[in-house]
Amino acid sequence: MAAVLLIDDDVELAGMLADYLRRDGFTVTLAHDGESGVQAALSGQFAIAVLDVMMPGISGIEALRRIRAASRLPVLMLTARGDDMDRIVGLELGADDYVPKPCLPRELAARLRAILRRGVANADPQAEIAVGPLSLQPAQRRAYWRGQAVELTSTEFNLLEVLARHAGRTVAKDDLSQQALGRPLARYDRSIDVHLSSIRQKLGPLDDGRSPIQTVFRQGYQMIAC
């Protein structure tokens, strides 16, 4: 059973979600403020964390910032419905996915399983992938650019791996969403764009100044094969 850390100051809602997740096969630990949530998230006892954005004291955004400074623990954010800014900031800081509140417990469980499934699938031994100055070790989930380690979130690694395996070919955004995020691409969903923007910043340019990941207008994205 996957160990889930649920960080939300709404005691009643958190309890309801925890009850559902437990019935669905997860083990769940609750934290009701950002301070204790960050401490628990960095304890190494959990497979994934669910983090509410709107909390008193340390907000979910600040809690995510502190978690990402020290850990690659997968994090799913709970955001206010329609608040695109919180979603974009969370993704830029390294959140793996988000679910708008109020959410259906069944959707939350499905999103958690999708994130965890990707991690398990990518943990199997696989050959190294090399594309120009990029080197990926899927078994260890490690990435190197010009020989230097690149710190990627779980979702960023998934996206980069999909593009690297299809280097020189355009990958549609919906295919990227299905393969890397484990879900269909929703209308107006900008999460892939935000994740790829972060990856580009972390990798840097090719020798000719181009980004290694190119946007193909109205089609998707392509990693330059070089």
Side-chain angles (χ1 to χ4, degrees), residues 68 72 134 136 141-143 150-158 160 198-199 202-203:
R68 274 292 165 264
R72 297 186 188 181
L134 174 69
L136 297 178
R141 295 185 62 76
R142 293 175 181 168
V150 181
E151 293 295 323
L152 299 172
T153 68
S154 176
T155 296
E156 288 172 352
F157 187 93
N158 293 338
L160 189 57
S198 174
I199 294 171
K202 292 179 180 181
L203 295 184

Side-chain angles (χ1 to χ4, degrees), residues 54-179:
M54 298 297 294
M55 290 189 294
I58 293 181
S59 70
I61 295 296
E62 177 59 26
L64 175 63
R65 193 191 312 273
R66 296 187 186 186
I67 292 170
R68 274 292 165 264
S71 173
R72 297 186 188 181
L73 176 74
V75 176
L76 184 149
M77 301 290 289
L78 295 177
T79 66
R81 188 173 297 276
D83 195 336
D84 293 335
M85 185 55 65
D86 278 343
R87 297 177 192 178
I88 292 172
V89 171
L91 292 169
E92 288 177 339
L93 290 176
D96 291 274
D97 204 350
Y98 64 84
V99 173
K101 293 174 67 176
C103 66
L104 294 174
R106 183 176 180 181
E107 180 185 4
L108 177 60
R111 293 288 186 93
L112 291 173
R113 290 190 190 282
I115 294 171
L116 293 170
R117 257 198 318 270
R118 296 197 304 269
V120 171
N122 289 317
D124 293 337
Q126 299 178 51
E128 180 175 316
I129 304 167
V131 182
L134 174 69
S135 175
L136 297 178
Q137 297 178 356
Q140 295 78 30
R141 295 185 62 76
R142 293 175 181 168
Y144 298 89
W145 181 258
R146 304 188 190 281
Q148 299 297 312
V150 181
E151 293 295 323
L152 299 172
T153 68
S154 176
T155 296
E156 288 172 352
F157 187 93
N158 293 338
L159 286 165
L160 189 57
E161 182 181 355
V162 172
L163 290 172
R165 290 187 181 280
H166 296 82
R169 291 175 286 167
T170 300
V171 182
K173 287 182 66 174
D174 189 59
D175 291 335
L176 271 175
S177 185
Q178 291 278 12
Q179 295 180 48

Side-chain angles (χ1 to χ4, degrees), residues 25-42:
F26 296 91
T27 61
V28 184
T29 298
L30 297 175
H32 296 302
D33 63 85
E35 285 281 6
S36 61
V38 171
Q39 185 176 359
L42 298 180

